[in-house]
Amino acid sequence: MLQLVPFAVPIGGDKTLLVWELSSGSTAEPLQHSLFTVFSRFGLLYSVWVFPNAALGGPGFYAIIKFYSARDAHRAQKARDQKQLFHTSPVKVDLSTRPKAVQHNTLALKHSRCQELANYNFGFRGSSKRIIKLQDLSNLEERENTNIVTALQKQSLKFFCALEVVLTSHECRSPGVGMAEEPLDKLEEGSLSLHMRRKITQKLAIQKAMTDAFQKLLNVILESGKTAVAYRPCEDVTDARTEEELQDLIQVSYFSCQPCGHREEECLSDFIFEEEEFRLPQLD
C-alpha cells in the first residue's frame, strides 16, 4: 500500500506517538535528545516534545513524537512499546487517539523543513531551485535635502519572487511564487540598515516562493520503501487582485513544467500566495 506524504505540517493521530513512564532521574532536554536518537531510526521526525507529568501522575516525564509518515510511526510504536530504550525499566509507546484534523487546517511547512523532507526522501541535494524572477516593488522615493528616515516614513520594502523547485532524480519541476513586505517606519538612520533590510526582504520572498512550490508536490512512499513524486497544481485562486498583479509581473521565457507539461504562464496563473506569514509552530 502506497502512502502520500505532503510538504505540510503532519496532522492526525496515526503520525503521533505518546511515550509514557519516562524516567524522573533526568531533565527534559537530555530526554528529548535521547528520544530523537531512538525514534529517528524509523523515519524522519517532525518534532519531539518532552513534558513533566501532571501532579497526579507522579514524578517523571512523557513525550509527544510526531512523524511525517504514518507508516514510520506504526513501525516505531510496534518496535519500541514495552522496551527499555535508554531506561532501566520499559516505557509505554502508544499511537495518539486524537482524531485526524480537517484538511483546511493543514499548515504549510517552512521552506527549510521542505528542503529537509526532500533530502530525506530523494537524497542529499536531490532538489534545487532556479530563480526565474526577483523583482523590487518597493517604489521608494528619496527626495533631495531630506533625511532618509523622514523620506521612508510610512513606506515599505516589497519584493516578488518566481522560481521553480527541481527534483533532478525524478525529472520533476514545480513552479512557485512569493511576495514579502517589510515596513520602514522604524528604519534606523543610515544606508547600511536599508541595505540589510532589502536583503532580508528578498530572502523572505524567495523562501515563500520555495514553500509555495513544494506545496504542489507529494512524496509517494511505495510498499517497497522506494519513493516517487507526484505533482498537483493549485486550482483555486482566493485573491483576484493578487492574481492580476502576478500576471503583470511574470514576463519571462517559457519553461517545461513537468510532469504537467504546461507552459510557465499557464501554471503561474493558477498560483496562490499569502502576504502574511505562514502559521508555523514554535519548534525551538
Side-chain angles (χ1 to χ4, degrees):
M1 180 179 179
L2 63 82
Q3 183 179 3
L4 301 179
V5 180
F7 286 90
V9 175
I11 57 176
D14 59 345
K15 300 177 183 178
T16 305
L17 297 182
L18 302 178
V19 183
W20 307 93
E21 301 177 5
L22 292 171
S23 172
S24 59
S26 183
T27 59
E29 186 172 350
L31 281 175
Q32 185 178 33
H33 176 76
S34 297
L35 287 168
F36 181 89
T37 301
V38 169
F39 285 93
S40 61
R41 298 169 185 169
F42 296 93
L44 186 62
L45 300 179
Y46 173 74
S47 62
V48 177
W49 294 94
V50 176
F51 304 95
N53 290 335
L56 296 178
F61 297 87
Y62 71 96
I64 300 175
I65 301 174
K66 185 171 290 187
F67 286 83
Y68 286 97
S69 165
R71 181 183 300 172
D72 293 341
H74 280 265
R75 289 175 52 243
Q77 190 274 330
K78 292 181 65 176
R80 292 294 178 250
D81 185 32
Q82 302 300 327
K83 298 296 191 299
Q84 290 184 347
L85 302 184
F86 43 84
H87 290 78
T88 57
S89 58
V91 298
K92 187 176 182 180
V93 182
D94 289 326
L95 286 168
S96 173
T97 57
R98 182 179 179 181
K100 185 176 181 180
V102 294
Q103 187 66 30
H104 68 265
N105 285 336
T106 300
L107 304 179
L109 274 181
K110 188 178 180 180
H111 77 283
S112 58
R113 291 291 189 124
C114 291
Q115 189 71 61
E116 180 185 40
L117 183 56
N119 288 343
Y120 183 84
N121 286 328
F122 309 126
F124 183 64
R125 295 184 178 178
S127 65
S128 62
K129 70 176 183 293
R130 182 175 74 90
I131 296 179
I132 299 167
K133 194 176 190 69
L134 182 60
Q135 184 168 348
D136 186 354
L137 305 179
S138 306
N139 295 324
L140 300 180
E141 296 181 0
E142 297 186 26
R143 300 176 181 178
E144 294 183 1
N145 302 322
T146 303
N147 183 279
I148 187 173
V149 176
T150 303
L152 298 178
Q153 283 182 349
K154 298 182 180 180
Q155 297 191 56
S156 64
L157 292 169
K158 191 174 184 180
F159 280 87
F160 164 82
C161 178
L163 55 72
E164 65 175 357
V165 167
V166 182
L167 301 180
T168 307
S169 60
H170 294 275
E171 298 183 350
C172 179
R173 301 179 180 184
S174 179
V177 294
M179 190 175 290
E181 187 170 5
E182 178 76 6
L184 294 176
D185 55 330
K186 297 182 180 180
L187 181 67
E188 297 177 1
E189 187 172 0
S191 60
L192 179 60
S193 178
L194 177 61
H195 176 74
M196 293 301 296
R197 296 280 283 275
R198 285 174 60 87
K199 292 294 185 181
I200 292 173
T201 309
Q202 286 179 351
K203 184 176 180 179
L204 183 56
I206 295 171
Q207 292 173 352
K208 287 188 174 184
M210 286 185 63
T211 297
D212 182 59
F214 274 112
Q215 301 317 297
K216 300 169 182 65
L217 298 173
L218 277 173
N219 299 281
V220 181
I221 314 298
L222 306 177
E223 185 68 28
S224 62
K226 295 182 178 180
T227 60
V229 64
Y231 179 80
R232 50 169 191 176
C234 294
E235 297 179 355
D236 299 326
V237 176
T238 59
D239 189 340
R241 178 185 57 82
T242 295
E243 183 188 17
E244 294 174 357
E245 185 177 13
L246 296 184
Q247 288 285 1
D248 293 336
L249 291 173
I250 302 168
Q251 296 177 355
V252 293
S253 301
Y254 296 152
F255 68 90
S256 174
C257 176
Q258 299 181 19
C260 67
H262 294 165
R263 294 183 306 177
E264 178 191 40
E265 59 186 15
E266 295 170 339
C267 292
L268 294 179
S269 66
D270 291 332
F271 284 3
I272 305 169
F273 80 89
E274 300 286 345
E275 292 191 353
E276 299 180 355
E277 292 284 353
F278 293 109
R279 296 182 294 118
L280 293 169
Q282 183 65 40
L283 300 176
D284 299 328

